[in-house]
Amino acid sequence: MVSWLIFQGAIALLLLIQIPATAVLLSRLLKGPSRHPPLEPTLATPELVGSVSVVVPTLNEADRISPCLAGLSRQSYEVREVIVVDSNSQDGTPDLVKAAQKHDPRFRLMTDDPLPSGWVGRPWALHNGFLHSSEDSEWFLGMDADTQPHPGLVASLVKTAQNEGYDLLSLSPQFILKSPGECWLQPALLMTLLYRFDSAGVDAAVAARVMANGQCFLCRRAVLAQVGGYSSAKSSFCDDVTLARNISSQGFRVGFLDGAKVFKVRMYEGAMQTWQEWGRSLDLKDASSSAALWWDLWLLFAVQALPLPIILSYLLFLPSTPTPFLLSLLGLNGFLLIVRCALLFAIAPSYDRSQAQGGWLFWFSPIADPLAVFRIFLSAFRTPTQWRGRQYDRPS
């Protein structure tokens, strides 16, 4: 009798945890149909001439930067300059930039060392690029070396920002997947963002819920100057979100839109790198309050991590005559699994699996959800001491 009461109490507790979390999730997902459509490549027009300075931070990116340089070279006359800020790469990255410079004089190479105390390498490089960019450019565009810009990206980005009145606009990419492990794990990690925040194309109502992506990050130069460049995000391992939220909190309009049709990105090689590197920053703790972080962890645990284990536990261990409480729990978690699987179709255009081995594993990524949420929990309670080949002396 006592064990039965404990069992019923556990079911009630799970329902108490999951029902409000499901309501929060649905309130976000229901905004999806009204979101801004994905950006399309756009031809430049004369009024855009020389309006954009592009800055690309690099550290040992020789294996990945060539498609980025080629893609930026194919942008039109709206790009005034492309400044590659290198942090003393030892793999030949500067040589590739110098080779690109011979064919396109808009490219410039500079170094940013030494790294000051209190700064993370990426925001320091971007800050240096901003300080050395032309004051005649209206827009600053930060792009990562692993991006693959399509022709018409920059013109589309600037015209959208102008037409929609954005002061800062960043884009979500189309991810290139190649290995079986990536195809299975990466979509589950991406889903942790979709569950916690409004989808790309839906503007956040408050600054603390703003999302951003530093892989393609456009900001009015005057706005960036007003907030001191990247200095307000200097110690953040998610500097893009930190800076975007700081800018939004000062009353500027910040947008995060779908850019899957205008640029691709090859972030990491294999599932292990994806787990180690991307999983490190997905918690966004550097850009969030403790209360917001705990709120997000509760939500992920309730609606992404629990459904599959609960359903499997019933199928494997529990009796065939469930109580009404248990039926409610099973119905709720079955519904959450259906929502999760339906979201696979929604995010499918955000993936290029044309080169992937085992690309079909993408459709089985819901099985990786408990693992992905576990990774967010791990990251939330650890401070990185190594990032992109740099060591940081930071307290844990």
Side-chain angles (χ1 to χ4, degrees):
M1 185 61 165
V2 174
S3 61
W4 178 252
L5 290 175
I6 293 174
F7 176 67
Q8 292 296 98
I11 293 175
L13 178 61
L14 286 172
L15 286 171
L16 187 63
I17 291 172
Q18 288 189 287
I19 288 175
T22 301
V24 172
L25 175 65
L26 291 178
S27 72
R28 292 171 180 165
L29 296 181
L30 289 173
K31 299 175 186 177
S34 63
R35 71 192 189 109
H36 192 288
L39 268 64
E40 301 275 356
T42 303
L43 294 176
T45 48
E47 71 274 9
L48 297 183
V49 172
S51 60
V52 182
S53 290
V54 182
V55 173
V56 181
T58 60
L59 175 58
N60 296 326
E61 300 284 1
D63 292 337
R64 301 190 293 178
I65 196 174
S66 292
C68 176
L69 298 177
L72 288 174
S73 188
R74 287 195 293 266
Q75 304 304 307
S76 191
Y77 46 73
E78 72 279 7
V79 174
R80 174 187 298 271
E81 59 188 351
V82 179
I83 305 173
V84 179
V85 184
D86 188 69
S87 301
N88 285 326
S89 294
Q90 302 299 311
D91 66 345
T93 297
D95 295 331
L96 294 174
V97 179
K98 292 173 184 177
Q101 189 176 23
K102 294 178 180 178
H103 301 284
D104 191 335
R106 293 178 296 178
F107 284 94
R108 291 166 49 197
L109 177 67
M110 59 170 288
T111 58
D112 63 348
D113 279 351
L115 179 68
S117 176
W119 280 82
V120 172
R122 186 177 183 278
W124 172 244
L126 288 163
H127 186 70
N128 272 269
F130 167 67
L131 294 178
H132 288 84
S133 63
S134 173
E135 295 183 359
D136 293 326
S137 294
E138 181 183 358
W139 297 93
F140 170 93
L141 174 58
M143 294 203 73
D144 281 358
D146 54 12
T147 58
Q148 300 181 15
H150 300 338
L153 160 67
V154 178
S156 176
L157 192 57
V158 173
K159 285 188 176 183
T160 301
Q162 291 176 335
N163 293 338
E164 303 291 334
Y166 289 114
D167 300 295
L168 190 162
L169 182 60
S170 64
L171 303 180
S172 64
Q174 185 179 54
F175 298 96
I176 300 171
L177 300 181
K178 293 186 178 182
S179 73
E182 291 174 76
C183 294
W184 180 69
L185 177 62
Q186 211 269 10
L189 289 169
L190 177 66
M191 199 61 63
T192 66
L193 293 175
L194 186 58
Y195 274 33
R196 284 180 284 165
F197 304 99
D198 292 324
S199 60
V202 178
D203 289 346
V206 296
R209 305 307 293 175
V210 160
M211 267 301 296
N213 179 23
Q215 293 166 328
C216 184
F217 190 93
L218 181 78
C219 187
R220 293 186 187 275
R221 181 182 175 82
V223 171
L224 199 53
Q226 185 171 327
V227 300
Y230 277 76
S231 59
S232 65
K234 65 181 183 180
S235 61
S236 175
F237 285 95
C238 55
D239 57 272
D240 45 6
V241 180
T242 301
L243 183 58
R245 291 180 179 179
N246 290 341
I247 288 174
S248 177
S249 69
Q250 297 192 33
F252 297 105
R253 189 166 186 225
V254 175
F256 177 57
L257 304 183
D258 186 346
K261 295 182 178 181
V262 291
F263 83 111
K264 298 181 181 183
V265 62
R266 175 69 179 149
M267 290 177 63
Y268 302 112
E269 298 295 328
M272 186 56 69
Q273 268 197 14
T274 302
W275 170 270
Q276 292 175 341
E277 300 294 337
W278 200 30
R280 239 178 240 166
S281 60
L282 279 177
D283 60 90
L284 304 183
K285 63 177 176 290
D286 290 349
S288 307
S289 66
S290 296
L293 180 61
W294 278 106
W295 173 274
D296 288 343
L297 293 176
W298 158 71
L299 184 75
L300 290 178
F301 176 71
V303 297
Q304 189 175 359
L306 282 179
L308 186 61
I310 286 175
I311 296 295
L312 290 178
S313 295
Y314 171 74
L315 294 176
L316 293 174
F317 303 113
L318 295 180
S320 58
T321 54
T323 65
F325 255 15
L326 183 54
L327 280 175
S328 298
L329 184 67
L330 294 174
L332 176 62
N333 285 278
F335 171 73
L336 287 170
L337 283 179
I338 291 172
V339 169
R340 172 64 174 88
C341 292
L343 287 172
L344 277 176
F345 292 93
I347 68 171
S350 296
Y351 287 94
D352 177 357
R353 292 176 288 128
S354 61
Q355 308 171 63
Q357 297 179 349
W360 54 272
L361 286 167
F362 168 84
W363 302 104
F364 289 84
S365 64
I367 299 174
D369 279 2
L371 188 63
V373 174
F374 176 64
R375 184 65 183 93
I376 304 303
F377 270 78
L378 283 180
S379 180
F381 300 107
R382 293 179 179 177
T383 300
T385 56
Q386 187 275 336
W387 191 268
R388 291 285 192 178
R390 269 194 169 115
Q391 296 293 324
Y392 294 94
D393 183 17
R394 301 184 69 189
S396 58

